[in-house]
Each structure stands twice: as C-alpha cells, then as structure tokens.
Amino acid sequence: MMQSLTPDVEVRLSVGQCVRTLTTSKEKEEVTKTLHTLTSYLDDRPQSTITSAQRAEFSRAHYTRTLQFLISNINADWLQLLTVAQCTELWDGLFLRGPPDQSLLVLMDGISSMSSPSAGLDRLVSILERFLQSGRLTVLLWTRCQGTGPSDSPQLRETLLSRLVALPDLTANQLHHHNKTIFLPQQYYPLLARDMLTVLERTCQALRDRKDCSLTFVAQALGKACVQGHSALVFGVLAPHLSCCTLSDMVWQRVCWKLLENVPERWLESVLTGMVQAVTRPDALSRIMGNLVLKNKKAQFVITHKLLLLQYKYETRVLSILLGHLAQDRERRPLLIQVLRSLCQAWANPSAVRHTPLEQQLYVSRALLLCVGLLSDAELQELRSELLQCMLGGMQSHLDSSVVRVRRMGMVVGECLSSRMDVNGAKLKFEYEHDEETEELLSLMTPLSEEEAEPLDDRLDLPQDVKGKTVPSQAVPSQAASVAQKSGADPDSELDSDDELTPYDMSADQEMSQAAPPRYLRDCLEAFLSSEDPVRVDLSLRAIEGLVRKNTSTAREVSVELSKVLLHMEDRYNTVGFLSLRQAAMVALTVTDSVPVTEYLTTEFYSMNYSIRQRLDILEVLIMSAQELSQPITDKGGPSKAIQRVTMNTPLYPGDDPIHWRQVVERRIQSKTKRLSKGVTHPPAKPTPNRYAPVAGHFFFPLLRNYDRPQVTFDLLGGDHLVLGRLIHTLGLLLHLAVNAPVATQMGRALLDFVWAVRYHVDQMVRRGVLFAVCSVFLSMPSQSLLVELSDQLFETRAWLAGMTRRMWLKRAQSRCSCSCSVCVNLRTHAHTHTHTHTHTHTAGVSIAGKWRESRMSCADCL
C-alpha cells in the first residue's frame, strides 16, 4: 500500500494543480472551483475539510506565492468570466482572509510595480481600501503581539514596518491625483492609531487572563510613524484615550509604560515630543510615561535638556506639563532640581543674553519661573543661595542690554524671583510698561488649579463632522406619510390609465455588452497582446482612440509599442469597421506623439516581411495625421454657443428678463432701419500655430531614404507600381500641407529630385503622381525660392510640363476626331507616333498643334 502524503507535500501538490488550472483553463465552472479550493485553505471554521496543519503549511509556504500569481494574472481572460460577486468573494477574499502581513506586503508591491493608470491597479487599490476598512490592520498588529505568526527575519520585519507606516506616501506616488481618501495621512494615521488602541485593549485583557503578549512591533510602528512627522495625527487619537484609560486602571498604566519602553531609542525623541504636545495635564503624562525618564538615558536627555534648553518652539502649556511631570513624583524631583540649576545658568549667562534669539530667552525665562513655582519651601531654602546668585547675575546681564524687551524681561523675572524667595521681607519693584509678554511672565508664578485645567471628557467627544451627519429618524416616516396622503387622495383615478399606454420604439436599440469597456491604455495594450476574448478585443479597439486623445501623457509612454501592435494586428474576429478603427487609433497616436511614432512608421515602411496593405496603411496614417496636425485646434470639450446662450441669457421666468429698457428701444430702432451694407459682420479668424510645421521633416524625409534599395519582398522601383504611385502622391500631400513652413523649400527640392527619375514611368498611376508632386512643389515653395533653389531644373521642368500638355492635346484629338480629311489623318498619325516614341522635336510638335488649331474651324468633327 502507498504511504499517505504528508501535509506539506499534499498542500504543495494541490496548490500546484490549482495554478496550472488557472493558467490553462477557459471554463467558468473550472475557474470557480479552483478558486474555491484555494479559499478553503483560509477557512478555519469547524466544518472545514482542511486540517489545521494544512492551513498552517499553506500560510507559511504558499500564500504569498499564490497572491503574487493572482496579481501577475490580473488581466487574464479567465478573470473576465467571473461576475462581480464572484470576484469579490473568491479573488478579493484570498487577499482579505489570509495572513494580513503577507497580504499587505504583496498588495503594496503589486501597487508599486503596476503601471498607472490601469484596471488592474484600480482593483488592487480597491482591495487595499477594503483591507484597511475591515480591520485587517488590527489583526496584523494583534498577530504580532501574540507571536503566533511565523518567525521572520529582521529584514522582513523592517520591510513590513516600512510598508505599514509609509502607506500614504507609497500610494500617493503611484496614484497621484487619483488617490483614495482613506490613504491620505489625515485619514490613515488616525485609523492606525485606533487600531493600536484596539490592540492595547486586547493586550490588557490578555494580561488579566494571565497570557503573555509582546508590544515590540506596536512600539516600533508607533516610533516609525512619529519619526516620519505624523506624531500629531497619531497622538491626537492615542493621548486622550490613554489618559482616560489609565486614570483608574493599573493594567493600562503597565501596558503604556511597556509600550514606551519598547520604542527604539532612535525614534524615542519623536514619540516623547508628540505625546508631550498631545496630553493636557501633567498627571496624565505621568500615568502614561511612568518613570521612563529615570530608566532611559535618551528619554532623560530629551525631557530635561533638549525640550527646555535647546528648543524653544513649544507653548507655555508644554513647559508646564513637562515640569509638572518631573515634580509629581518623589523619585523624579531630583531631576527637577537639576533642570532648575541648568535654567538658572542659562538665564544668567551674559554670553547667552547677547547672542541667543530673543524668543529663546523668553522661552528660558518662562521655564525658569515655572520651575521655581513648583519648588517646595524646603527645596527653596536649600537653593536660596543659588537662586540669589542667579537673580543678581541675570538681572545685571539683562539690564546691561540695549534691547528694551531684554531689559524688561530681566526686571520681571527679578521681581518674581525676589517675591518667591522673600529675601529679608524685601521685594524688588521696577517701573516698566506692562504688556502681554510681562503679564504672561507674572502669571506663571501662580499655576493653574485642578478646576481651571482642561477637562478630559471634552477631548473624547465625537468629531463635529460625524455629528453633523446624524439625520433624525422621524423625518423619514413623516415624508412617507405625506407622500401616502398625496397618493391616497384619489385611489381610483389611475386604474384605467393602462389602456392609454403606447409602446416604446425599440427599433434603434443596441445590444448591451456584458463586459465593461477598458478605461486605461495599458488595459487595451494587454488585451491586444494576450487576450483571446473577441468581446474584449472589440471593446478595446473601439475605446483606444478616445483614451489616446484623453490621456496624452500615458499615450506618449506607450505610443510606439501600441503603434507596433496595431500595425501588425489582424482581423481575427471579423470585427465590424476593423480597418477604420485601427486607422483612427494609429492616427490618434501619431498626432499625440508625432516624432517617435512617425520615426517608427517611416522606418517600417521599407522593412522586410510587410504586405502591400500594411505599407499602404502606413502612408494613409501619415497623410491623415499630417492633415489633422495642420488644422487649427478646436475646443470640442466645452459647450456649444447655442447651449451657452441658453444657459447664460435665458431667464428662469418670462417676467424676470433683466434686459434694460434702453436695449429694447435700441433693438426696435435697429430692426426698422434700412442699411445698404453692413460691412464685416463676422470677426476675423483667430490665428493659431500650425502643429505640423515643426514635425513636417519627420514625416517627409525618412520616406525618401531607401527607395532605391530593392528587397526580396519589396521592390519599389520594380514591380510594386501601386506602392510607388501612392508614395509619390503621399509625398506631394505632405509637401502641400507644409506650405509656408521653413522646411518647405528643402522638401520641394528633395521631392523634385526624387520624381524626376520616374517621370517617364510605364505605369499611368505613377506618372499622374509625378505630375501631382511637381504641381505641389511649385504651389508650396515660396516664389522667391524657386529661382534660387531650382534654377537648374526650372526650365527643364517647364519643357517637360509643356510636353505633357501637348500629349494630352494629342490624345484628346485622337480620341475625338474621326473625319477623313488630310489634316486630321496626318494629326492622328503623328499623335500615335508621338505617344509611343517620344522622339518629336519641339518645332514639329508646335507645327502639328498649330495645324490642328487652324483646321478646327473647317472640320466639324474636330470641334
């Protein structure tokens, strides 16, 4: 008997079979069954047939690869077979029901690597939006706290932290103006903070149940979010709730202390700075931080030195909270004494008074007064000598300054220190002008009481925008009742109205397609390259022209690749209007990105292994593109003049017409006045730049590059007369559209040199093309350039044109005259000889034509 397979082998074989099925299958039932099989490995319900070992093996070794396979086939044809509900349940469910850390990493990598914009990118963005809204971040953080996830490397943990914290930046760089609201920093970081609060609540409950948890990952996420500059958004949600929860719960206090202790030191400063600014009371900061300032040297440096002496951008409230936190605990009061001595030294330093900014001096003065106000009487007696020395030295330094505000600051601080120390019952008193600055310094000696502090409950209220969205429930029944009363006034009045219904005219209805047309150019390109669904290819072919003209920046990125695909595309599905749709798309690409696309088309015109139809298509695309570029740009997006006139000038009611009575009288006079001529009634046309002139050379000169190099499948000067005639005609049109352009002279000279060698071609279409090209040269080139640039060829061309004119006269005479007079017989004979030998001299031709003109009056058949 065969041994039973182990769970890892069984899962590997099953997942491999599912991947092969999705790669090759085109049946909806088979695809649905395969996706159900993959989804079953994420089902942890009791009735599931998948064992826990198989689920663990799938999550460990196969989940990430499965998601990467789905993203790589996001534009596959089998995905189009599923309905919207099936895609949401099966395809999206694989991302939303598996390990959240792996899902987040795969989603962020897929969004970053996918071309923008595209339908696949929209789908991944929608899944990521649902990922955040369904609380998967909470599951991710809680899984890391429990330690139930697979062990990972420090590099993988750092990558996960980077994707988690920098999600708004990554999505903004990829989506640009199409970014979702939930991905904005103002929405995402408060959401992340709420998920952290949920995880902290679960941690408190786990500790009460005597279960171990780790807050390392949450602390790292908090520190990384703060160091990137989002501490205000994060602590705007965390601080009020932590202040409330730690008020009477010791477990919450232990969790908060452990959270801050696990923050890496390189991010601790940003965390402490954000938290100090977010809390409202010193006791709240003490409950959240605990004695972290005593356990961590980095925290001690930040709290006691950097925020007080090196930085001066914080409000007085922040200083009060910092110093109050140091003063509230007996173990932290020595740090308060240390801070006081540092502040006294900085305030009394003459060099600091002269060289530090005035704002920093004011900041230090506030901190000094707040710190002195927090001292007890015993501490004040112990530090009396140091304070007295600081007061006298600092006042001397400030009073010696030439700045009025500095001197006033020294007087106010001296008065406050003397009154606090009460030296021999004598108090200093200075005469100075009172303003807001001095009043603030004087008020710092009397700290706020408990009642004057900001209440905590006000910080926990719902936001105003949420309150404003509340709708009274009584409004709906009242509106329904009013509608019922109106409809119930005459219940029998509409019973017989069905007899008068007329059927709709459905003769012009069109069949609605089940598939949605593509919205992005890259989706069209993907459909042309890999899709075998006729409906999808047809929709892409019909939508591509509009997408190119609408999204010009994206079109320039894929213009050459799309032109290559369209040029080689065949009508495999018998699409209605295939040639016109393909040609319109290529013209739109050429107009949008002229130089690269034109360079590609003109190069491919002389390449091997192209059919005559493809070479003629290239010429037609070049002509139509040049015609569109040479025409002025018209604003097709705005409303028409008739619509604007009705919108702007038509009043809502007949009596509200704001026309002044003078205008009415003027109109009546104008209508009854007879005029012989009104002159110019329409304004002159507005001049617009010719978009074709700068790129005319890119259209024209490459077509003259390799015409004399025969190939195995293409010989322009040999048997491919049709292509040669169309080429000459195209060159003439390109020159004619470049009239008045600076490059027209060079184009005309090059075209005349080219057609002069084939002016006696055996094919009639080629000779007509040469005649058209020569006429285009003389009509398009500036008159002053004809004698300068074409002096050697001008007279020869004139003689050739005269000879062509005589040949046309002779052919006309030969076809029209059938009489038997000697003149007409001789004329027909010379015409036949001239047509085949081209050996008559100019004199003979003139004499024959003169004889024919002289005999026209005598021979009625020659008329």
Side-chain angles (χ1 to χ4, degrees):
M1 295 179 61
M2 296 181 59
Q3 296 181 356
S4 60
L5 298 176
T6 58
D8 55 344
V9 176
E10 186 177 355
V11 172
R12 184 174 71 251
L13 294 177
S14 177
V15 173
Q17 180 61 35
C18 292
V19 170
R20 288 190 295 270
T21 302
L22 292 177
T23 305
T24 59
S25 178
K26 297 181 181 180
E27 298 295 333
K28 179 178 180 181
E29 292 76 8
E30 191 174 5
V31 170
T32 306
K33 182 179 179 181
T34 303
L35 292 178
H36 274 294
T37 302
L38 292 175
T39 309
S40 64
Y41 286 102
L42 304 176
D43 190 3
D44 55 355
R45 292 178 296 180
Q47 61 271 23
S48 176
T49 58
I50 305 299
T51 63
S52 59
Q54 292 175 339
R55 286 197 299 270
E57 177 63 21
F58 178 78
S59 300
R60 184 191 66 85
H62 302 283
Y63 182 66
T64 298
R65 296 179 181 177
T66 302
L67 296 187
Q68 291 173 349
F69 168 76
L70 293 178
I71 292 179
S72 63
N73 291 270
I74 197 170
N75 292 318
D77 290 339
W78 58 264
L79 189 59
Q80 310 295 330
L81 302 176
L82 303 179
T83 62
V84 177
Q86 289 175 335
C87 285
T88 304
E89 178 186 0
L90 301 177
W91 206 89
D92 299 357
L94 286 170
F95 291 87
L96 301 176
R97 296 171 60 182
D101 50 353
Q102 300 182 44
S103 300
L104 181 62
L105 289 176
V106 175
L107 283 174
M108 296 306 299
D109 291 342
I111 291 175
S112 301
S113 61
M114 192 160 291
S115 302
S116 176
S118 64
L121 180 62
D122 291 345
R123 178 176 291 275
L124 293 183
V125 169
S126 176
I127 295 175
L128 182 59
E129 186 177 10
R130 292 180 56 194
F131 183 91
L132 299 179
Q133 294 173 348
S134 59
R136 299 300 292 174
L137 283 184
T138 303
V139 180
L140 189 154
L141 297 174
W142 179 238
T143 303
R144 293 283 173 169
C145 290
Q146 288 181 311
T148 57
S151 59
D152 52 5
S153 61
Q155 293 80 6
L156 181 60
R157 178 184 289 258
E158 184 65 26
T159 302
L160 180 59
L161 280 173
S162 301
R163 299 294 189 274
L164 178 65
V165 176
L167 187 145
D169 298 333
L170 297 175
T171 54
N173 290 339
Q174 187 68 12
L175 302 179
H176 303 291
H177 299 292
H178 305 286
N179 202 2
K180 298 288 185 179
T181 305
I182 196 173
F183 300 152
L184 299 179
Q186 295 79 4
Q187 299 291 334
Y188 175 74
Y189 291 106
L191 173 65
L192 180 61
R194 287 190 291 270
D195 293 334
M196 290 182 179
L197 283 174
T198 305
V199 172
L200 294 178
E201 175 63 33
R202 294 183 181 180
T203 304
C204 293
Q205 186 60 39
L207 293 178
R208 296 187 184 98
D209 298 338
R210 301 181 182 275
K211 298 179 181 179
D212 294 335
C213 292
S214 174
L215 293 175
T216 303
F217 187 80
V218 180
Q220 292 175 351
L222 175 63
K224 199 171 185 65
C226 292
V227 81
Q228 291 186 2
H230 308 292
S231 58
L233 296 173
V234 174
F235 280 106
V237 177
L238 284 179
H241 289 79
L242 295 181
S243 301
C244 180
C245 294
T246 56
L247 190 60
S248 59
D249 194 338
M250 191 60 193
V251 178
W252 263 102
Q253 293 183 19
R254 288 182 54 198
V255 170
C256 293
W257 298 348
K258 196 65 176 178
L259 176 67
L260 295 179
E261 290 175 4
N262 288 331
V263 175
E265 285 195 0
R266 63 183 184 275
W267 300 332
L268 185 59
E269 179 183 348
S270 301
V271 175
L272 294 178
T273 303
M275 184 173 55
V276 167
Q277 296 181 79
V279 296
T280 58
R281 296 165 57 94
D283 55 346
L285 181 62
S286 300
R287 293 194 304 270
I288 297 174
M289 283 187 58
N291 286 331
L292 180 66
V293 70
L294 299 176
K295 300 177 181 179
N296 192 300
K297 293 297 183 181
K298 181 63 175 293
Q300 181 178 339
F301 172 76
V302 172
I303 295 296
T304 62
H305 187 79
K306 191 167 188 177
L307 296 181
L308 297 175
L309 298 174
L310 300 182
Q311 298 179 355
Y312 53 94
K313 61 181 179 179
Y314 303 106
E315 301 175 355
T316 307
R317 179 184 61 84
V318 177
L319 292 175
S320 177
I321 292 173
L322 278 176
L323 298 173
H325 166 65
L326 297 177
Q328 281 191 349
D329 189 80
R330 182 180 57 185
E331 298 179 357
R332 295 192 295 266
R333 290 196 72 87
L335 294 178
L336 181 66
I337 305 301
Q338 177 183 340
V339 168
L340 176 61
R341 288 171 176 161
S342 301
L343 290 173
C344 290
Q345 183 180 1
W347 187 77
N349 191 349
S351 177
V353 174
R354 288 193 300 267
H355 298 100
T356 56
L358 187 59
E359 290 77 10
Q360 187 174 4
Q361 297 184 39
L362 181 61
Y363 186 82
V364 174
S365 301
R366 292 169 181 166
L368 177 61
L369 294 181
L370 286 172
C371 193
V372 172
L374 293 173
L375 293 177
S376 61
D377 294 338
E379 294 170 338
L380 193 62
Q381 291 297 329
E382 181 183 355
L383 299 172
R384 182 183 295 272
S385 60
E386 297 182 19
L387 289 176
L388 182 59
Q389 183 180 358
C390 167
M391 180 185 68
L392 296 177
M395 289 177 56
Q396 182 66 32
S397 301
H398 283 77
L399 293 177
D400 290 343
S401 175
S402 60
V403 181
V404 178
R405 289 181 61 188
V406 175
R407 294 199 301 268
R408 189 185 305 157
M409 192 186 309
M411 297 177 190
V412 175
V413 175
E415 283 187 1
C416 294
L417 291 179
S418 64
S419 64
R420 185 68 178 89
M421 290 186 298
D422 193 13
V423 181
N424 298 326
K427 300 181 180 179
L428 293 176
K429 188 65 178 177
F430 296 95
E431 293 183 359
Y432 51 84
E433 181 181 355
H434 289 266
D435 55 5
E436 294 182 0
E437 186 176 299
T438 57
E439 294 296 336
E440 180 188 6
L441 292 176
L442 292 173
S443 64
L444 295 179
M445 296 302 295
T446 56
L448 294 177
S449 61
E450 296 289 335
E451 291 77 8
E452 293 174 345
E454 182 181 356
L456 183 63
D457 295 340
D458 294 343
R459 298 293 304 274
L460 300 179
D461 289 342
L462 292 175
Q464 295 296 328
D465 54 351
V466 178
K467 294 180 181 179
K469 295 180 181 179
T470 306
V471 181
S473 59
Q474 293 82 359
V476 177
S478 61
Q479 294 176 2
S482 62
V483 174
Q485 291 177 1
K486 293 180 180 180
S487 61
D490 191 5
D492 299 333
S493 59
E494 301 294 336
L495 292 179
D496 299 332
S497 61
D498 294 345
D499 298 338
E500 300 177 359
L501 295 178
T502 57
Y504 287 105
D505 184 12
M506 304 178 64
S507 59
D509 288 0
Q510 298 180 357
E511 182 180 357
M512 299 296 294
S513 175
Q514 296 181 356
R519 295 184 298 170
Y520 303 108
L521 280 175
R522 297 187 185 274
D523 295 339
C524 298
L525 181 60
E526 183 71 22
F528 294 153
L529 291 175
S530 60
S531 179
E532 297 183 359
D533 185 5
V535 178
R536 186 180 177 190
V537 174
D538 180 79
L539 292 175
S540 301
L541 192 59
R542 297 183 184 279
I544 186 172
E545 180 189 4
L547 294 176
V548 169
R549 299 185 184 277
K550 182 179 180 181
N551 305 314
T552 55
S553 59
T554 307
R556 291 189 179 96
E557 298 177 2
V558 296
S559 58
V560 177
E561 188 175 1
L562 262 178
S563 301
K564 180 179 180 180
V565 173
L566 290 172
L567 181 61
H568 292 81
M569 181 181 290
E570 298 179 356
D571 190 8
R572 296 183 297 169
Y573 308 112
N574 196 17
T575 305
V576 178
F578 172 80
L579 294 178
S580 60
L581 292 174
R582 186 185 66 163
Q583 185 183 75
M586 295 180 68
V587 169
L589 287 169
T590 309
V591 172
T592 303
D593 198 12
S594 301
V595 177
V597 177
T598 305
E599 182 179 356
Y600 169 75
L601 293 178
T602 53
T603 303
E604 295 302 309
F605 178 76
Y606 288 106
S607 299
M608 297 178 60
N609 300 325
Y610 277 98
S611 63
I612 295 180
R613 176 70 265 176
Q614 289 175 314
R615 301 183 197 275
L616 297 181
D617 289 341
I618 292 176
L619 297 178
E620 291 179 2
V621 169
L622 293 176
I623 291 176
M624 297 180 65
S625 302
Q627 288 178 344
E628 184 173 346
L629 288 172
S630 62
Q631 296 174 357
I633 303 176
T634 57
D635 187 9
K636 299 180 181 179
S640 62
K641 295 182 178 180
I643 297 177
Q644 292 180 355
R645 188 181 300 113
V646 172
T647 305
M648 298 296 294
N649 298 331
T650 304
L652 296 178
Y653 300 98
D656 294 341
D657 194 350
I659 300 177
H660 196 266
W661 64 270
R662 294 183 182 274
Q663 299 179 6
V664 177
V665 174
E666 185 67 23
R667 289 180 182 177
R668 292 178 180 177
I669 294 175
Q670 295 292 338
S671 61
K672 295 182 179 181
T673 303
K674 295 183 178 180
R675 292 181 174 85
L676 298 178
S677 176
K678 294 185 178 181
V680 179
T681 58
H682 298 285
K686 183 179 180 180
T688 57
N690 188 347
R691 295 177 294 165
Y692 174 66
V695 296
H698 297 279
F699 281 77
F700 184 85
F701 291 109
L703 293 176
L704 297 174
R705 187 163 43 198
N706 298 321
Y707 69 91
D708 56 346
R709 297 180 183 178
Q711 299 177 3
V712 178
T713 59
F714 182 54
D715 187 5
L716 192 62
L717 298 181
D720 294 323
H721 301 164
L722 176 61
V723 182
L724 178 60
R726 293 292 296 273
L727 173 62
I728 297 175
H729 187 78
T730 300
L731 292 173
L733 281 176
L734 294 177
L735 174 60
H736 176 69
L737 295 174
V739 62
N740 298 326
V743 75
T745 301
Q746 302 176 12
M747 293 171 62
R749 185 173 62 251
L751 179 58
L752 192 59
D753 292 340
F754 169 63
V755 301
W756 198 247
V758 294
R759 65 187 186 275
Y760 295 124
H761 200 276
V762 295
D763 190 86
Q764 183 181 11
M765 180 179 179
V766 176
R767 295 197 302 271
R768 290 183 178 180
V770 172
L771 185 60
F772 174 79
V774 171
C775 295
S776 179
V777 169
F778 286 102
L779 291 176
S780 302
M781 288 184 62
S783 57
Q784 62 272 15
S785 300
L786 288 175
L787 293 176
V788 177
E789 300 292 339
L790 303 178
S791 57
D792 298 337
Q793 303 173 354
L794 188 61
F795 295 100
E796 187 176 0
T797 305
R798 179 182 177 184
W800 175 76
L801 289 175
M804 292 292 295
T805 305
R806 289 193 300 273
R807 289 181 60 193
M808 288 189 293
W809 285 347
L810 294 175
K811 287 184 178 181
R812 184 182 179 186
Q814 184 181 7
S815 61
R816 292 185 58 183
C817 182
S818 60
C819 68
S820 58
C821 64
S822 59
V823 175
C824 292
V825 171
N826 191 15
L827 184 61
R828 288 195 295 268
T829 303
H830 281 280
H832 180 76
T833 306
H834 181 76
T835 302
H836 291 278
T837 61
H838 309 286
T839 57
H840 291 281
T841 61
H842 177 69
T843 306
V846 172
S847 61
I848 295 173
K851 292 180 179 179
W852 180 76
R853 285 194 297 269
E854 292 175 357
S855 62
R856 281 188 303 173
M857 300 304 297
S858 59
C859 183
D861 294 334
C862 297
L863 296 178

